[in-house]
Amino acid sequence: MIKLKDFEVWFVTGSQHLYGKETLKQVDADSKKIAEYLDKSANIPCRVVFKPVVTTPDKITSICVKANNAKNCVGLITWMHTFSPAKMWIAGLSILKKPFVHLHTQFNRDIPWKSIDMDFMNLNQSAHGGREFGFICSRMRKNRKVVVGHWQDPEVVEKLDIWMRAACAWNDWQGMKVARFGDNMREVAVTEGDKVEAQKKFGYSVNGYGVGDLVAVINKVDSKQINSMVNQYKRDYKVKLTAAQLEAVRTSAQIEVGMRTFLEKGGFKAFTTTFEDLHGLVQLPGLPVQRLMADGYGFGAEGDWKTAALVRAMKVMATGLNGGTSFMEDYTYHLDPKGMKVLGAHMLEVCPSIASGKSSLEVHPLGIGGKADPPRLVFNVPQGSGVNVSVMDMGNRFRMLINPCKVVKPDADLPKLPVARVVWQPEPNLKVAAGAWILGGGAHHTGFSMALTAEHIEDFAEMADIEYLMIDKNTTISNFKKDIRTNEVYYMLANGLK
Ligand code: MN
């Protein structure tokens, strides 16, 4: 469903005419080599397209206009091989709508100590050319990532890979449609927010659809479609069901086909449900939601459109990487001082992309909502590193919280727990992590990923130009409180700077 190779990043090199034709030809050739190297790298997720060196304000503005209008261009890599007087960049940068990364590299990795002369010095000027470009970006308060090092350094390629993934997700959000089946869970605060502001800030639109409209599509699903879906379940999961449970699974298959049809026809990339509004649906959709998430749809329960959009973005970023990405909820704690942990889960809707091995398809009663027993996939999650992310509407801005964690084995089997679950230890430890999370107003719902790192999310937050607060191994509660207070002032004033 998601193909990152459909997206392009444009490689744009700045220079000026002062150097003469020969040098500019060399700059052009060197830039082309770097762009091709990155394009061919197995560790780069999308295409890297070389663009001829820009040497005048008009050319710079023109490439920025073109990038804005190219639908599949997700951003620019900018590089100053030589010195590019940066007033030339003001017009272009002020209209550029796409994210950019400043690659602060040099074509020659090493100084040729014995042969270096003024010609070499004049050609390899990134060290000061990059500083001139950096100044104008900072002077214009431009959010961007700066990556420093030789272009063949694997660490540099990795940082570009991370940034490109974030840029693809950002591009995916522009014009994205999020469907809400039913509204918000009644009286819940954190899942609410300003959808108009979100559309202005993030580019995606959120609209509500009557559950009856979805039910009408589900009712049109025929038994052939249901049979084929049930057969798919039998191939994909461990299935051991009674006749009555199989009937529930058939109902679930019908709901899944209907939801897929609705979402595909409407061109939606993310959706929400709420157990408080299931009018005409016999079950809360569990299995269908899990399977739709596994196919790349963003999801948020209880009307949580912000998390639905976030999960979709994280899935785009994680495309092709090891480890899955899911909607998640901090559900319950293990507060033993010898090893405090969080058990993450949801009533049903956890994505099987994070499962270890084959999931078990089971039917159990749901103690909430008063509907028929819903089928769901039950599984554990392998150990490894993960990250939890949350976006909240703070009234005057959106805030993103990021908390890396270590997924650990549950202390024992959980034979009576009828849902998918993840057990993790947040960084730096549960006491500080949960304390900071709560002081930061972080939601109980998150996007959880074992494919992404905090750096993916940080790059994405820069592109979205929102506040992000990291809770990691260096966090202390008193410093975190200071960050929050500083940010309160910053975000009140920041719009005046830009
Ligand atoms: Mn929930």
PDB file of all heavy atoms in Angstrom, residues 180-183 208-220 258 262 277-281 371:
ATOM      1  N   ARG A 180     -13.926   9.618  10.462  1.00  0.00           N
ATOM      2  CA  ARG A 180     -14.346   9.291  11.836  1.00  0.00           C
ATOM      3  C   ARG A 180     -15.715   8.629  11.777  1.00  0.00           C
ATOM      4  O   ARG A 180     -16.691   9.237  11.347  1.00  0.00           O
ATOM      5  CB  ARG A 180     -14.457  10.561  12.679  1.00  0.00           C
ATOM      6  CG  ARG A 180     -13.149  11.150  13.052  1.00  0.00           C
ATOM      7  CD  ARG A 180     -13.403  12.399  13.888  1.00  0.00           C
ATOM      8  NE  ARG A 180     -13.251  12.140  15.305  1.00  0.00           N
ATOM      9  CZ  ARG A 180     -13.832  12.847  16.258  1.00  0.00           C
ATOM     10  NH1 ARG A 180     -14.659  13.810  15.948  1.00  0.00           N
ATOM     11  NH2 ARG A 180     -13.616  12.575  17.528  1.00  0.00           N
ATOM     12  N   PHE A 181     -15.756   7.376  12.189  1.00  0.00           N
ATOM     13  CA  PHE A 181     -17.045   6.696  12.296  1.00  0.00           C
ATOM     14  C   PHE A 181     -17.577   6.988  13.694  1.00  0.00           C
ATOM     15  O   PHE A 181     -17.072   6.485  14.691  1.00  0.00           O
ATOM     16  CB  PHE A 181     -16.879   5.190  12.082  1.00  0.00           C
ATOM     17  CG  PHE A 181     -16.365   4.849  10.707  1.00  0.00           C
ATOM     18  CD1 PHE A 181     -15.154   4.189  10.539  1.00  0.00           C
ATOM     19  CD2 PHE A 181     -17.094   5.204   9.564  1.00  0.00           C
ATOM     20  CE1 PHE A 181     -14.683   3.883   9.272  1.00  0.00           C
ATOM     21  CE2 PHE A 181     -16.614   4.909   8.297  1.00  0.00           C
ATOM     22  CZ  PHE A 181     -15.404   4.241   8.148  1.00  0.00           C
ATOM     23  N   GLY A 182     -18.609   7.800  13.749  1.00  0.00           N
ATOM     24  CA  GLY A 182     -19.090   8.275  15.044  1.00  0.00           C
ATOM     25  C   GLY A 182     -18.182   9.399  15.516  1.00  0.00           C
ATOM     26  O   GLY A 182     -17.213   9.759  14.846  1.00  0.00           O
ATOM     27  N   ASP A 183     -18.493   9.977  16.656  1.00  0.00           N
ATOM     28  CA  ASP A 183     -17.737  11.121  17.168  1.00  0.00           C
ATOM     29  C   ASP A 183     -16.753  10.649  18.237  1.00  0.00           C
ATOM     30  O   ASP A 183     -16.262   9.524  18.199  1.00  0.00           O
ATOM     31  CB  ASP A 183     -18.737  12.162  17.706  1.00  0.00           C
ATOM     32  CG  ASP A 183     -18.110  13.529  17.846  1.00  0.00           C
ATOM     33  OD1 ASP A 183     -18.072  14.283  16.861  1.00  0.00           O
ATOM     34  OD2 ASP A 183     -17.617  13.820  18.944  1.00  0.00           O
ATOM     35  N   GLY A 208     -16.450  13.514   9.863  1.00  0.00           N
ATOM     36  CA  GLY A 208     -17.257  12.470  10.490  1.00  0.00           C
ATOM     37  C   GLY A 208     -18.195  11.808   9.492  1.00  0.00           C
ATOM     38  O   GLY A 208     -18.666  12.444   8.546  1.00  0.00           O
ATOM     39  N   TYR A 209     -18.448  10.525   9.700  1.00  0.00           N
ATOM     40  CA  TYR A 209     -19.409   9.781   8.883  1.00  0.00           C
ATOM     41  C   TYR A 209     -20.340   9.028   9.813  1.00  0.00           C
ATOM     42  O   TYR A 209     -19.890   8.455  10.821  1.00  0.00           O
ATOM     43  CB  TYR A 209     -18.682   8.817   7.927  1.00  0.00           C
ATOM     44  CG  TYR A 209     -17.897   9.590   6.894  1.00  0.00           C
ATOM     45  CD1 TYR A 209     -16.599  10.041   7.172  1.00  0.00           C
ATOM     46  CD2 TYR A 209     -18.477   9.974   5.695  1.00  0.00           C
ATOM     47  CE1 TYR A 209     -15.901  10.823   6.275  1.00  0.00           C
ATOM     48  CE2 TYR A 209     -17.787  10.759   4.777  1.00  0.00           C
ATOM     49  CZ  TYR A 209     -16.499  11.180   5.078  1.00  0.00           C
ATOM     50  OH  TYR A 209     -15.823  11.968   4.189  1.00  0.00           O
ATOM     51  N   GLY A 210     -21.622   9.026   9.486  1.00  0.00           N
ATOM     52  CA  GLY A 210     -22.585   8.304  10.301  1.00  0.00           C
ATOM     53  C   GLY A 210     -22.268   6.821  10.269  1.00  0.00           C
ATOM     54  O   GLY A 210     -21.894   6.289   9.215  1.00  0.00           O
ATOM     55  N   VAL A 211     -22.391   6.165  11.425  1.00  0.00           N
ATOM     56  CA  VAL A 211     -22.148   4.725  11.447  1.00  0.00           C
ATOM     57  C   VAL A 211     -23.121   4.034  10.485  1.00  0.00           C
ATOM     58  O   VAL A 211     -22.795   3.033   9.853  1.00  0.00           O
ATOM     59  CB  VAL A 211     -22.276   4.170  12.884  1.00  0.00           C
ATOM     60  CG1 VAL A 211     -21.992   2.671  12.923  1.00  0.00           C
ATOM     61  CG2 VAL A 211     -21.304   4.887  13.806  1.00  0.00           C
ATOM     62  N   GLY A 212     -24.313   4.609  10.351  1.00  0.00           N
ATOM     63  CA  GLY A 212     -25.313   4.065   9.421  1.00  0.00           C
ATOM     64  C   GLY A 212     -24.818   4.020   7.985  1.00  0.00           C
ATOM     65  O   GLY A 212     -25.141   3.094   7.229  1.00  0.00           O
ATOM     66  N   ASP A 213     -24.013   5.018   7.589  1.00  0.00           N
ATOM     67  CA  ASP A 213     -23.452   5.020   6.227  1.00  0.00           C
ATOM     68  C   ASP A 213     -22.501   3.841   6.042  1.00  0.00           C
ATOM     69  O   ASP A 213     -22.452   3.225   4.971  1.00  0.00           O
ATOM     70  CB  ASP A 213     -22.685   6.321   5.966  1.00  0.00           C
ATOM     71  CG  ASP A 213     -23.602   7.532   5.961  1.00  0.00           C
ATOM     72  OD1 ASP A 213     -24.807   7.359   5.664  1.00  0.00           O
ATOM     73  OD2 ASP A 213     -23.123   8.645   6.270  1.00  0.00           O
ATOM     74  N   LEU A 214     -21.730   3.542   7.090  1.00  0.00           N
ATOM     75  CA  LEU A 214     -20.818   2.395   7.042  1.00  0.00           C
ATOM     76  C   LEU A 214     -21.618   1.087   7.043  1.00  0.00           C
ATOM     77  O   LEU A 214     -21.341   0.166   6.265  1.00  0.00           O
ATOM     78  CB  LEU A 214     -19.864   2.447   8.244  1.00  0.00           C
ATOM     79  CG  LEU A 214     -18.920   1.256   8.438  1.00  0.00           C
ATOM     80  CD1 LEU A 214     -17.977   1.093   7.246  1.00  0.00           C
ATOM     81  CD2 LEU A 214     -18.120   1.410   9.731  1.00  0.00           C
ATOM     82  N   VAL A 215     -22.634   1.028   7.896  1.00  0.00           N
ATOM     83  CA  VAL A 215     -23.468  -0.184   7.996  1.00  0.00           C
ATOM     84  C   VAL A 215     -24.129  -0.488   6.637  1.00  0.00           C
ATOM     85  O   VAL A 215     -24.213  -1.652   6.229  1.00  0.00           O
ATOM     86  CB  VAL A 215     -24.526  -0.032   9.121  1.00  0.00           C
ATOM     87  CG1 VAL A 215     -25.545  -1.168   9.078  1.00  0.00           C
ATOM     88  CG2 VAL A 215     -23.827   0.004  10.482  1.00  0.00           C
ATOM     89  N   ALA A 216     -24.536   0.550   5.936  1.00  0.00           N
ATOM     90  CA  ALA A 216     -25.167   0.342   4.621  1.00  0.00           C
ATOM     91  C   ALA A 216     -24.203  -0.368   3.676  1.00  0.00           C
ATOM     92  O   ALA A 216     -24.610  -1.236   2.895  1.00  0.00           O
ATOM     93  CB  ALA A 216     -25.600   1.689   4.039  1.00  0.00           C
ATOM     94  N   VAL A 217     -22.929  -0.016   3.738  1.00  0.00           N
ATOM     95  CA  VAL A 217     -21.921  -0.670   2.873  1.00  0.00           C
ATOM     96  C   VAL A 217     -21.687  -2.111   3.361  1.00  0.00           C
ATOM     97  O   VAL A 217     -21.588  -3.042   2.549  1.00  0.00           O
ATOM     98  CB  VAL A 217     -20.597   0.136   2.876  1.00  0.00           C
ATOM     99  CG1 VAL A 217     -19.553  -0.522   1.984  1.00  0.00           C
ATOM    100  CG2 VAL A 217     -20.831   1.569   2.434  1.00  0.00           C
ATOM    101  N   ILE A 218     -21.618  -2.283   4.668  1.00  0.00           N
ATOM    102  CA  ILE A 218     -21.397  -3.625   5.241  1.00  0.00           C
ATOM    103  C   ILE A 218     -22.540  -4.568   4.853  1.00  0.00           C
ATOM    104  O   ILE A 218     -22.314  -5.737   4.529  1.00  0.00           O
ATOM    105  CB  ILE A 218     -21.250  -3.519   6.785  1.00  0.00           C
ATOM    106  CG1 ILE A 218     -19.928  -2.833   7.134  1.00  0.00           C
ATOM    107  CG2 ILE A 218     -21.341  -4.899   7.445  1.00  0.00           C
ATOM    108  CD1 ILE A 218     -19.778  -2.441   8.594  1.00  0.00           C
ATOM    109  N   ASN A 219     -23.764  -4.032   4.855  1.00  0.00           N
ATOM    110  CA  ASN A 219     -24.927  -4.873   4.522  1.00  0.00           C
ATOM    111  C   ASN A 219     -24.925  -5.355   3.081  1.00  0.00           C
ATOM    112  O   ASN A 219     -25.615  -6.309   2.744  1.00  0.00           O
ATOM    113  CB  ASN A 219     -26.235  -4.124   4.821  1.00  0.00           C
ATOM    114  CG  ASN A 219     -26.480  -4.033   6.318  1.00  0.00           C
ATOM    115  OD1 ASN A 219     -25.876  -4.781   7.101  1.00  0.00           O
ATOM    116  ND2 ASN A 219     -27.332  -3.106   6.731  1.00  0.00           N
ATOM    117  N   LYS A 220     -24.160  -4.711   2.239  1.00  0.00           N
ATOM    118  CA  LYS A 220     -24.106  -5.109   0.820  1.00  0.00           C
ATOM    119  C   LYS A 220     -23.074  -6.202   0.566  1.00  0.00           C
ATOM    120  O   LYS A 220     -22.964  -6.704  -0.545  1.00  0.00           O
ATOM    121  CB  LYS A 220     -23.778  -3.881  -0.036  1.00  0.00           C
ATOM    122  CG  LYS A 220     -24.972  -2.993  -0.247  1.00  0.00           C
ATOM    123  CD  LYS A 220     -24.693  -1.964  -1.339  1.00  0.00           C
ATOM    124  CE  LYS A 220     -25.758  -0.885  -1.318  1.00  0.00           C
ATOM    125  NZ  LYS A 220     -25.197   0.447  -1.471  1.00  0.00           N
ATOM    126  N   GLY A 258     -16.712  -4.511   4.385  1.00  0.00           N
ATOM    127  CA  GLY A 258     -17.456  -3.249   4.294  1.00  0.00           C
ATOM    128  C   GLY A 258     -16.581  -2.046   4.616  1.00  0.00           C
ATOM    129  O   GLY A 258     -16.585  -1.040   3.896  1.00  0.00           O
ATOM    130  N   PHE A 262     -15.504   1.014   2.109  1.00  0.00           N
ATOM    131  CA  PHE A 262     -15.800   2.402   2.467  1.00  0.00           C
ATOM    132  C   PHE A 262     -14.523   3.243   2.418  1.00  0.00           C
ATOM    133  O   PHE A 262     -14.487   4.331   1.830  1.00  0.00           O
ATOM    134  CB  PHE A 262     -16.403   2.450   3.875  1.00  0.00           C
ATOM    135  CG  PHE A 262     -16.987   3.782   4.242  1.00  0.00           C
ATOM    136  CD1 PHE A 262     -18.352   3.999   4.179  1.00  0.00           C
ATOM    137  CD2 PHE A 262     -16.165   4.836   4.646  1.00  0.00           C
ATOM    138  CE1 PHE A 262     -18.893   5.239   4.511  1.00  0.00           C
ATOM    139  CE2 PHE A 262     -16.693   6.074   4.975  1.00  0.00           C
ATOM    140  CZ  PHE A 262     -18.062   6.281   4.912  1.00  0.00           C
ATOM    141  N   ASP A 277     -20.620   4.524  19.890  1.00  0.00           N
ATOM    142  CA  ASP A 277     -21.505   4.751  18.751  1.00  0.00           C
ATOM    143  C   ASP A 277     -21.287   3.644  17.727  1.00  0.00           C
ATOM    144  O   ASP A 277     -20.407   3.729  16.867  1.00  0.00           O
ATOM    145  CB  ASP A 277     -21.228   6.130  18.138  1.00  0.00           C
ATOM    146  CG  ASP A 277     -22.248   6.476  17.063  1.00  0.00           C
ATOM    147  OD1 ASP A 277     -23.096   5.606  16.741  1.00  0.00           O
ATOM    148  OD2 ASP A 277     -22.202   7.601  16.538  1.00  0.00           O
ATOM    149  N   LEU A 278     -22.066   2.589  17.879  1.00  0.00           N
ATOM    150  CA  LEU A 278     -21.947   1.430  16.982  1.00  0.00           C
ATOM    151  C   LEU A 278     -23.312   1.103  16.402  1.00  0.00           C
ATOM    152  O   LEU A 278     -23.610  -0.045  16.084  1.00  0.00           O
ATOM    153  CB  LEU A 278     -21.408   0.220  17.768  1.00  0.00           C
ATOM    154  CG  LEU A 278     -19.980   0.348  18.313  1.00  0.00           C
ATOM    155  CD1 LEU A 278     -19.647  -0.828  19.215  1.00  0.00           C
ATOM    156  CD2 LEU A 278     -18.960   0.432  17.186  1.00  0.00           C
ATOM    157  N   HIS A 279     -24.134   2.126  16.273  1.00  0.00           N
ATOM    158  CA  HIS A 279     -25.518   1.902  15.884  1.00  0.00           C
ATOM    159  C   HIS A 279     -25.626   1.087  14.587  1.00  0.00           C
ATOM    160  O   HIS A 279     -25.134   1.511  13.554  1.00  0.00           O
ATOM    161  CB  HIS A 279     -26.223   3.242  15.701  1.00  0.00           C
ATOM    162  CG  HIS A 279     -27.701   3.109  15.681  1.00  0.00           C
ATOM    163  ND1 HIS A 279     -28.441   2.884  16.812  1.00  0.00           N
ATOM    164  CD2 HIS A 279     -28.579   3.105  14.650  1.00  0.00           C
ATOM    165  CE1 HIS A 279     -29.710   2.769  16.485  1.00  0.00           C
ATOM    166  NE2 HIS A 279     -29.828   2.899  15.179  1.00  0.00           N
ATOM    167  N   GLY A 280     -26.227  -0.098  14.713  1.00  0.00           N
ATOM    168  CA  GLY A 280     -26.395  -0.950  13.533  1.00  0.00           C
ATOM    169  C   GLY A 280     -25.265  -1.934  13.342  1.00  0.00           C
ATOM    170  O   GLY A 280     -25.359  -2.848  12.514  1.00  0.00           O
ATOM    171  N   LEU A 281     -24.154  -1.778  14.080  1.00  0.00           N
ATOM    172  CA  LEU A 281     -23.058  -2.754  14.026  1.00  0.00           C
ATOM    173  C   LEU A 281     -23.252  -3.732  15.189  1.00  0.00           C
ATOM    174  O   LEU A 281     -23.480  -3.300  16.317  1.00  0.00           O
ATOM    175  CB  LEU A 281     -21.700  -2.060  14.199  1.00  0.00           C
ATOM    176  CG  LEU A 281     -21.083  -1.364  13.004  1.00  0.00           C
ATOM    177  CD1 LEU A 281     -19.827  -0.603  13.436  1.00  0.00           C
ATOM    178  CD2 LEU A 281     -20.724  -2.353  11.913  1.00  0.00           C
ATOM    179  N   LYS A 371     -22.259  -4.987  23.260  1.00  0.00           N
ATOM    180  CA  LYS A 371     -22.452  -5.570  21.929  1.00  0.00           C
ATOM    181  C   LYS A 371     -22.027  -7.039  21.938  1.00  0.00           C
ATOM    182  O   LYS A 371     -21.543  -7.550  22.951  1.00  0.00           O
ATOM    183  CB  LYS A 371     -21.628  -4.779  20.901  1.00  0.00           C
ATOM    184  CG  LYS A 371     -22.162  -3.393  20.639  1.00  0.00           C
ATOM    185  CD  LYS A 371     -23.316  -3.424  19.656  1.00  0.00           C
ATOM    186  CE  LYS A 371     -23.972  -2.051  19.496  1.00  0.00           C
ATOM    187  NZ  LYS A 371     -24.991  -2.053  18.440  1.00  0.00           N
TER     188      LYS A 371
END
